[in-house]
Amino acid sequence: MAIAESDKTLRKIADAFKELAVTVNSQTADMEVAPFSRACSFVSPLFGCLGIAFKFAEMDYVAKVADLAEASKSIGTLNAILDRDIEGNCVRKAGSHTRNLLRVKRGLDMVRVLFEQILATECDSLRDPASKAYAQVFAPHHGWAIRKAVAAGMYALPTRAQLMKKLNEDEASARIQMQSYVAASGPIILYIDKLFLSRELGIDW
């Protein structure tokens, strides 16, 4: 049975982040937690498609997106999340919404770099794109044991063709959706970085 274009993972991701980018680019509205966490939840299946190398990222990312979705029931905007945690003196505390937001942002950034790397090559192996994305975004924050486990897992990555099949995509449509996500996610990631940096919270922890 054919899957409707609007139900495909990459299309859902691209459309949701395009909507978020409109909010960011308007520079007048604060980003709301509910649509942000919803858009992030569409990225979760992608980590699952990458296999064992990104199992740690999938588990961590899914849990933290769920936390933000729960937070959206009582907190309206990403700005309010940070301000509330600053007030409660729990910004860097394990499990804080602010800490979870930073981790989710990292997951979005990893996918952005991965897509950029996939788009830059015709090669069927995903090892190089995935290794570069991991090295750029996650590796600086991981200890030796995790980095070694991820490196070993890179040998079990699906091929490009296998990934397309898992995502029910063909190469042409996948490229369009990946390009769309790369373009839309860039301003969103910068927006989140600015939320942290404007409050002098830093983003490298």
Side-chain angles (χ1 to χ4, degrees):
M1 194 175 79
I3 293 181
E5 194 64 35
S6 58
D7 288 336
K8 290 183 177 180
T9 298
L10 289 184
R11 178 63 181 267
K12 279 181 169 178
I13 294 170
D15 286 352
F17 279 86
K18 273 193 278 191
E19 283 180 33
L20 291 181
V22 170
T23 301
V24 168
N25 293 330
S26 73
Q27 297 185 340
T28 53
D30 281 350
M31 190 174 306
E32 294 179 359
V33 185
F36 175 76
S37 61
R38 183 172 170 272
C40 293
S41 71
F42 293 145
V43 177
S44 301
L46 185 65
F47 283 111
C49 291
L50 292 171
I52 192 76
F54 289 96
K55 193 68 191 166
F56 75 92
E58 182 190 11
M59 291 165 67
D60 192 54
Y61 180 86
V62 169
K64 286 169 174 54
V65 170
D67 172 73
L68 294 179
E70 188 61 32
S72 73
K73 295 173 185 174
S74 57
I75 305 173
T77 65
L78 298 187
N79 265 303
I81 278 182
L82 272 69
D83 291 339
R84 188 177 286 201
D85 281 349
I86 288 169
E87 207 175 304
N89 199 27
C90 62
V91 167
R92 295 200 179 205
K93 196 174 167 189
S96 79
H97 300 318
T98 298
R99 191 172 188 271
N100 289 347
L101 173 60
L102 185 62
R103 298 299 188 276
V104 167
K105 188 265 310 187
R106 234 165 251 162
L108 300 179
D109 202 18
M110 208 279 321
V111 172
R112 180 186 65 81
V113 178
L114 176 67
F115 283 179
E116 282 179 343
Q117 296 296 328
I118 290 174
L119 290 166
T121 177
E122 299 294 326
C123 184
D124 195 42
S125 172
L126 293 182
R127 201 182 310 159
D128 200 38
S131 296
K132 283 180 179 170
Y134 175 77
Q136 188 172 321
V137 179
F138 282 138
H141 308 284
H142 286 165
W144 179 83
I146 294 180
R147 290 202 303 269
K148 194 163 176 61
V150 171
M154 290 292 178
Y155 291 92
L157 282 168
T159 62
R160 188 188 191 107
Q162 286 168 339
L163 179 64
M164 297 302 164
K165 195 173 179 184
K166 284 182 181 183
L167 294 170
N168 294 295
E169 290 284 357
D170 59 55
E171 179 74 25
S173 67
R175 288 185 79 85
I176 291 167
Q177 304 307 340
M178 286 181 182
Q179 282 165 342
S180 180
Y181 173 79
V182 168
S185 63
I188 294 161
I189 290 162
L190 278 175
Y191 173 86
I192 295 170
D193 282 347
K194 281 180 185 169
L195 293 182
F196 281 80
L197 296 172
S198 66
R199 291 166 173 81
E200 298 185 353
L201 298 175
I203 52 173
D204 293 319
W205 47 278

